[in-house]
Amino acid sequence: MTQTDLGTKAETLAAHRTETLAAHRTETRAADRTGPPAAGATASRPALGVLAAATATHGTGRDGDIPLPRLPGFVESAFSPLVYEVAARCLTERPAGGTSRSDGAGSGEGSRTAVALASLMGDTTTADLASRRVVSGRVHNPLLFMQATANSVLGHLSREFGITGQMFSLSTLDDPVTELLAMADLLLEDPELDRVLVVGVELGGGERWAAVHRELSADHGRPVPDLPASAAVAAAVLLGRPGSGTPMTTAPTQPYAGDNSATAPHTGSVQGLFDLADAHCRLLRDGDRDETETHAHQ
């Protein structure tokens, strides 16, 4: 594919994404006014099949926390190690996917997989540490420069699993899970893609982090995540179009309230992704359900 072809494809994807998100927001506003769709109503967008899901928390002080996974080349921050942890679980859970760089590349799945990562403020731990070192006159650590962008861990993931599809990192003041599902819906319109891995991550932080969070979300009413300064939470969901062996679907343009969302630990802007992952995991644990469940996202 030539550079001109790539440029044209990128422009087409960008235009399509704008139209998809605009349609999504219009439908969401209409749903808010009219209530849930009537039984048997057909969604205007095709459903997304949930192929695999994983969540991980570190340093929250709650049940289920895991030790921070070691990720070569990444230091100090929990952002990239936790993103890699949940992404790797999804990619290795998928039966047709590879479990290592060689397997992933050899299976052909990598070239047909895209990845989208969303976080309101990105790796604030790394950014905060780097700025403090500069202010104090200490020598800058080049690893902090490398890992300061979310694309760094996506590159590592691409290398390990042979992923050559599109990769995006998103930051939005709107609901990031809505953006991720809309992006997945858009990407799956590409006949060269079969799967989209969506990942959401949220870090805890100190008072500077909380002040920035409050300022960024002032117009959206999103509370500061109830997380200790060193905590991190991440969730990943592997999506495709519904088909044989897809135990659950989600509608990208309809509201969804998780079964336990009222009592779930607050995980900030990625709570909806945790709800979706938890619903998928519960369905797999039940094991005796014959019908595919359909969920909509909130």
Side-chain angles (χ1 to χ4, degrees), residues 1-34:
M1 183 177 291
T2 67
Q3 191 67 32
T4 301
D5 292 336
L6 288 172
T8 302
K9 186 172 184 179
E11 291 173 1
T12 302
L13 281 172
H16 191 176
R17 177 178 183 271
T18 300
E19 293 172 359
T20 300
L21 292 177
H24 169 84
R25 289 168 183 144
T26 300
E27 291 171 11
T28 299
R29 287 194 293 269
D32 290 342
R33 291 193 299 270
T34 62

Side-chain angles (χ1 to χ4, degrees), residues 266-290:
H266 181 57
T267 51
S269 60
V270 297
Q271 179 64 56
L273 208 57
F274 270 77
D275 290 342
L276 188 57
D278 288 345
H280 177 263
C281 292
R282 286 197 305 272
L283 188 60
L284 292 183
R285 283 197 302 267
D286 289 346
D288 57 352
R289 305 280 288 275
D290 294 328

Side-chain angles (χ1 to χ4, degrees), residues 67 93 117 172 191 193 292:
E93 178 185 331
L117 168 67
T172 176
L193 290 176
T292 297

Side-chain angles (χ1 to χ4, degrees), residues 54-56 82 86-87 90 180 198-201 233-237 270 273-275 277:
T55 64
L82 223 59
V86 294
C90 278
L180 285 173
V198 297
V199 186
V201 58
V233 298
V237 178
V270 297
L273 208 57
F274 270 77
D275 290 342

